mmCIF file of all heavy atoms in Angstrom:
data_model
loop_
_atom_site.group_PDB
_atom_site.id
_atom_site.type_symbol
_atom_site.label_atom_id
_atom_site.label_comp_id
_atom_site.label_asym_id
_atom_site.label_seq_id
_atom_site.Cartn_x
_atom_site.Cartn_y
_atom_site.Cartn_z
ATOM 1 N N ILE A 182 -30.735 -30.359 24.566
ATOM 2 C CA ILE A 182 -29.587 -29.854 25.319
ATOM 3 C C ILE A 182 -29.327 -28.422 24.884
ATOM 4 O O ILE A 182 -29.187 -28.146 23.683
ATOM 5 C CB ILE A 182 -28.352 -30.736 25.064
ATOM 6 C CG1 ILE A 182 -28.611 -32.109 25.673
ATOM 7 C CG2 ILE A 182 -27.091 -30.103 25.624
ATOM 8 C CD1 ILE A 182 -27.584 -33.134 25.304
ATOM 9 N N LEU A 183 -29.265 -27.554 25.842
ATOM 10 C CA LEU A 183 -29.105 -26.133 25.532
ATOM 11 C C LEU A 183 -27.653 -25.821 25.182
ATOM 12 O O LEU A 183 -26.721 -26.241 25.881
ATOM 13 C CB LEU A 183 -29.535 -25.289 26.735
ATOM 14 C CG LEU A 183 -29.547 -23.775 26.501
ATOM 15 C CD1 LEU A 183 -30.632 -23.374 25.504
ATOM 16 C CD2 LEU A 183 -29.726 -23.021 27.814
ATOM 17 N N ILE A 184 -27.478 -25.112 24.094
ATOM 18 C CA ILE A 184 -26.142 -24.640 23.708
ATOM 19 C C ILE A 184 -26.113 -23.120 23.842
ATOM 20 O O ILE A 184 -27.011 -22.436 23.352
ATOM 21 C CB ILE A 184 -25.802 -25.030 22.254
ATOM 22 C CG1 ILE A 184 -25.793 -26.545 22.107
ATOM 23 C CG2 ILE A 184 -24.459 -24.445 21.833
ATOM 24 C CD1 ILE A 184 -25.533 -27.023 20.695
ATOM 25 N N SER A 185 -25.102 -22.648 24.523
ATOM 26 C CA SER A 185 -24.926 -21.194 24.624
ATOM 27 C C SER A 185 -23.963 -20.753 23.529
ATOM 28 O O SER A 185 -22.877 -21.309 23.389
ATOM 29 C CB SER A 185 -24.336 -20.820 25.986
ATOM 30 O OG SER A 185 -25.166 -21.294 27.013
ATOM 31 N N VAL A 186 -24.370 -19.781 22.796
ATOM 32 C CA VAL A 186 -23.507 -19.252 21.729
ATOM 33 C C VAL A 186 -23.014 -17.870 22.158
ATOM 34 O O VAL A 186 -23.824 -16.994 22.485
ATOM 35 C CB VAL A 186 -24.269 -19.132 20.402
ATOM 36 C CG1 VAL A 186 -23.362 -18.570 19.310
ATOM 37 C CG2 VAL A 186 -24.832 -20.481 19.989
ATOM 38 N N ILE A 187 -21.708 -17.746 22.206
ATOM 39 C CA ILE A 187 -21.137 -16.454 22.621
ATOM 40 C C ILE A 187 -20.672 -15.700 21.381
ATOM 41 O O ILE A 187 -19.949 -16.239 20.547
ATOM 42 C CB ILE A 187 -19.959 -16.658 23.594
ATOM 43 C CG1 ILE A 187 -20.474 -17.289 24.890
ATOM 44 C CG2 ILE A 187 -19.243 -15.343 23.868
ATOM 45 C CD1 ILE A 187 -19.403 -17.564 25.910
ATOM 46 N N LEU A 188 -21.087 -14.483 21.289
ATOM 47 C CA LEU A 188 -20.673 -13.629 20.161
ATOM 48 C C LEU A 188 -19.978 -12.399 20.764
ATOM 49 O O LEU A 188 -20.615 -11.585 21.427
ATOM 50 C CB LEU A 188 -21.900 -13.209 19.358
ATOM 51 C CG LEU A 188 -21.695 -12.541 17.994
ATOM 52 C CD1 LEU A 188 -22.998 -12.548 17.214
ATOM 53 C CD2 LEU A 188 -21.178 -11.146 18.072
ATOM 54 N N LEU A 189 -18.667 -12.354 20.619
ATOM 55 C CA LEU A 189 -17.931 -11.184 21.103
ATOM 56 C C LEU A 189 -17.806 -10.202 19.950
ATOM 57 O O LEU A 189 -17.408 -10.577 18.852
ATOM 58 C CB LEU A 189 -16.532 -11.581 21.568
ATOM 59 C CG LEU A 189 -16.423 -12.627 22.672
ATOM 60 C CD1 LEU A 189 -14.970 -12.804 23.086
ATOM 61 C CD2 LEU A 189 -17.262 -12.238 23.877
ATOM 62 N N THR A 190 -18.142 -8.972 20.200
ATOM 63 C CA THR A 190 -18.074 -8.003 19.099
ATOM 64 C C THR A 190 -17.558 -6.664 19.592
ATOM 65 O O THR A 190 -17.818 -6.270 20.730
ATOM 66 C CB THR A 190 -19.464 -7.834 18.439
ATOM 67 O OG1 THR A 190 -19.368 -6.901 17.376
ATOM 68 C CG2 THR A 190 -20.510 -7.357 19.417
ATOM 69 N N LYS A 191 -16.826 -6.028 18.729
ATOM 70 C CA LYS A 191 -16.373 -4.657 19.024
ATOM 71 C C LYS A 191 -16.316 -3.885 17.704
ATOM 72 O O LYS A 191 -15.593 -4.277 16.789
ATOM 73 C CB LYS A 191 -15.003 -4.667 19.671
ATOM 74 C CG LYS A 191 -14.472 -3.260 19.969
ATOM 75 C CD LYS A 191 -13.185 -3.311 20.749
ATOM 76 C CE LYS A 191 -12.580 -1.919 20.904
ATOM 77 N NZ LYS A 191 -13.421 -0.980 21.632
ATOM 78 N N ASP A 192 -17.078 -2.857 17.637
ATOM 79 C CA ASP A 192 -17.096 -1.987 16.447
ATOM 80 C C ASP A 192 -17.349 -2.763 15.166
ATOM 81 O O ASP A 192 -16.739 -2.501 14.137
ATOM 82 C CB ASP A 192 -15.763 -1.215 16.334
ATOM 83 C CG ASP A 192 -15.581 -0.256 17.485
ATOM 84 O OD1 ASP A 192 -16.599 0.140 18.068
ATOM 85 O OD2 ASP A 192 -14.428 0.079 17.810
ATOM 86 N N GLU A 193 -18.219 -3.738 15.243
ATOM 87 C CA GLU A 193 -18.520 -4.519 14.054
ATOM 88 C C GLU A 193 -20.028 -4.564 13.803
ATOM 89 O O GLU A 193 -20.572 -5.560 13.328
ATOM 90 C CB GLU A 193 -17.948 -5.933 14.197
ATOM 91 C CG GLU A 193 -16.437 -5.938 14.057
ATOM 92 C CD GLU A 193 -15.791 -7.192 14.600
ATOM 93 O OE1 GLU A 193 -16.100 -7.579 15.738
ATOM 94 O OE2 GLU A 193 -14.960 -7.772 13.900
ATOM 95 N N GLY A 194 -20.670 -3.470 14.164
ATOM 96 C CA GLY A 194 -22.121 -3.403 14.016
ATOM 97 C C GLY A 194 -22.577 -3.683 12.600
ATOM 98 O O GLY A 194 -23.634 -4.272 12.377
ATOM 99 N N GLY A 195 -21.751 -3.275 11.626
ATOM 100 C CA GLY A 195 -22.128 -3.443 10.232
ATOM 101 C C GLY A 195 -22.340 -4.878 9.832
ATOM 102 O O GLY A 195 -23.091 -5.170 8.901
ATOM 103 N N ALA A 196 -21.664 -5.803 10.509
ATOM 104 C CA ALA A 196 -21.742 -7.208 10.102
ATOM 105 C C ALA A 196 -22.564 -8.043 11.077
ATOM 106 O O ALA A 196 -22.717 -9.249 10.900
ATOM 107 C CB ALA A 196 -20.325 -7.778 9.990
ATOM 108 N N LEU A 197 -23.088 -7.405 12.108
ATOM 109 C CA LEU A 197 -23.670 -8.154 13.224
ATOM 110 C C LEU A 197 -24.970 -8.864 12.863
ATOM 111 O O LEU A 197 -25.200 -10.010 13.235
ATOM 112 C CB LEU A 197 -23.911 -7.167 14.362
ATOM 113 C CG LEU A 197 -23.966 -7.724 15.766
ATOM 114 C CD1 LEU A 197 -22.693 -8.468 16.099
ATOM 115 C CD2 LEU A 197 -24.176 -6.588 16.760
ATOM 116 N N ARG A 198 -25.790 -8.181 12.117
ATOM 117 C CA ARG A 198 -27.145 -8.668 11.910
ATOM 118 C C ARG A 198 -27.163 -10.029 11.211
ATOM 119 O O ARG A 198 -27.887 -10.944 11.620
ATOM 120 C CB ARG A 198 -27.910 -7.632 11.080
ATOM 121 C CG ARG A 198 -29.390 -7.900 10.927
ATOM 122 C CD ARG A 198 -30.080 -7.898 12.286
ATOM 123 N NE ARG A 198 -31.503 -8.094 12.157
ATOM 124 C CZ ARG A 198 -32.395 -7.117 12.248
ATOM 125 N NH1 ARG A 198 -32.003 -5.887 12.494
ATOM 126 N NH2 ARG A 198 -33.674 -7.363 12.117
ATOM 127 N N ARG A 199 -26.338 -10.177 10.203
ATOM 128 C CA ARG A 199 -26.343 -11.434 9.455
ATOM 129 C C ARG A 199 -25.844 -12.579 10.313
ATOM 130 O O ARG A 199 -26.323 -13.714 10.227
ATOM 131 C CB ARG A 199 -25.468 -11.306 8.205
ATOM 132 C CG ARG A 199 -26.098 -10.422 7.151
ATOM 133 C CD ARG A 199 -25.567 -10.702 5.787
ATOM 134 N NE ARG A 199 -24.102 -10.599 5.760
ATOM 135 C CZ ARG A 199 -23.357 -11.122 4.815
ATOM 136 N NH1 ARG A 199 -23.911 -11.809 3.837
ATOM 137 N NH2 ARG A 199 -22.050 -10.969 4.826
ATOM 138 N N THR A 200 -24.876 -12.275 11.170
ATOM 139 C CA THR A 200 -24.343 -13.311 12.059
ATOM 140 C C THR A 200 -25.426 -13.781 13.026
ATOM 141 O O THR A 200 -25.611 -14.983 13.246
ATOM 142 C CB THR A 200 -23.146 -12.751 12.858
ATOM 143 O OG1 THR A 200 -22.217 -12.206 11.932
ATOM 144 C CG2 THR A 200 -22.486 -13.822 13.680
#
Side-chain angles (χ1 to χ4, degrees):
Chain A
I182 293 171
L183 186 67
I184 298 177
S185 303
V186 180
I187 295 179
L188 191 165
L189 302 185
T190 180
K191 179 174 174 62
D192 295 336
E193 287 162 310
L197 204 57
R198 188 61 177 258
R199 288 202 305 161
T200 307

